[in-house]
Amino acid sequence: MEKEVLTKWAIDPTHSEVTFKVKHLVISTVTGKFGEFSGSLEQDGEDFEGAKASFSTAIKSITTGADDRDAHLKSDDFFNAEAYPEMKFESTRFEKEDDNNYKLTGDLTIRDITKSITLDVAHGGTVEDPYGNTKAGFEISGKINRKDFGLKWNGVTEAGSVVVSNEVTLNLNIQVARQ
């Protein structure tokens, strides 16, 4: 009986980015990113259906272009980077929808709260780079409610508008290298 051969991939952080967007004062959008992250993918077929994905990012690496806002996001009002230094994701399903599109379901942990989320994944292709390394590219997107993960702080303006939306849009552009 032949043993299945897993193909292992690792995120190439120099060719990847992890960003998020959230409405501020209901009238504009603030974009942030995480600068330190790692992850892996294991596949056992020709495509990525059924692959296992894992990902983590360092909360201390969050940046939105405003030092005071970044410090607030790292505080206990939001992520509490000191007590919970990582955000983690472990896949439970990687389902093919058509030639290049997948649904990625898994457990996202922020602070000490784990919830199942589903993300849209577009596979941009797999190629060999000029150095003989095989790379695959993915665009991953989805939305979460930040309050589901204990990121509960909010303010209200004099006019009654909330300062920060509950809905957060996640956008990851990920390149992985075959190991």
Side-chain angles (χ1 to χ4, degrees):
M1 187 171 190
E2 279 188 42
K3 187 178 177 185
E4 281 186 21
V5 177
L6 287 179
T7 302
K8 296 186 178 188
W9 303 80
I11 288 180
D12 176 354
T14 59
H15 296 104
S16 300
E17 67 178 3
V18 177
T19 64
F20 62 90
K21 293 181 180 290
V22 65
K23 286 282 189 188
H24 182 251
L25 299 174
V26 191
I27 59 168
S28 64
T29 301
V30 170
T31 301
K33 68 179 183 175
F34 291 95
E36 295 176 31
F37 51 86
S38 63
S40 63
L41 190 62
E42 290 184 355
Q43 106 196 70
D44 63 2
E46 290 298 310
D47 59 27
F48 291 94
E49 183 158 33
K52 299 283 185 218
S54 65
F55 173 84
S56 66
T57 186
I59 297 301
K60 69 178 182 178
S61 73
I62 197 169
T63 179
T64 62
D67 292 342
D68 288 345
R69 180 172 48 224
D70 296 347
H72 192 203
L73 287 170
K74 294 172 193 175
S75 78
D76 192 39
D77 282 346
F78 289 98
F79 288 100
N80 193 347
E82 191 172 316
Y84 310 103
E86 285 187 310
M87 176 172 54
K88 297 178 185 178
F89 177 85
E90 291 289 332
S91 70
T92 56
R93 283 195 314 264
F94 204 129
E95 298 173 305
K96 190 171 188 172
E97 299 219 295
D98 59 39
D99 285 347
N100 298 315
N101 296 291
Y102 297 82
K103 288 286 186 192
L104 175 60
T105 301
D107 296 326
L108 177 64
T109 302
I110 301 175
R111 295 178 66 110
D112 59 348
I113 300 168
T114 301
K115 301 266 186 198
S116 179
I117 65 167
T118 299
L119 302 168
D120 295 318
V121 178
H123 176 220
T126 302
V127 299
E128 190 172 300
D129 72 10
Y131 310 102
N133 303 303
T134 302
K135 305 279 184 98
F138 299 92
E139 290 186 11
I140 304 163
S141 61
K143 294 181 180 187
I144 63 169
N145 183 324
R146 67 184 179 86
K147 288 192 171 184
D148 289 347
F149 295 94
L151 308 178
K152 296 186 184 295
W153 182 89
N154 214 338
V156 178
T157 66
E158 249 181 61
S161 296
V162 295
V163 175
V164 181
S165 170
N166 292 337
E167 185 178 83
V168 179
T169 302
L170 307 174
N171 291 299
L172 294 80
N173 291 306
I174 300 294
Q175 188 177 108
V176 292
R178 183 179 290 155
Q179 301 299 290

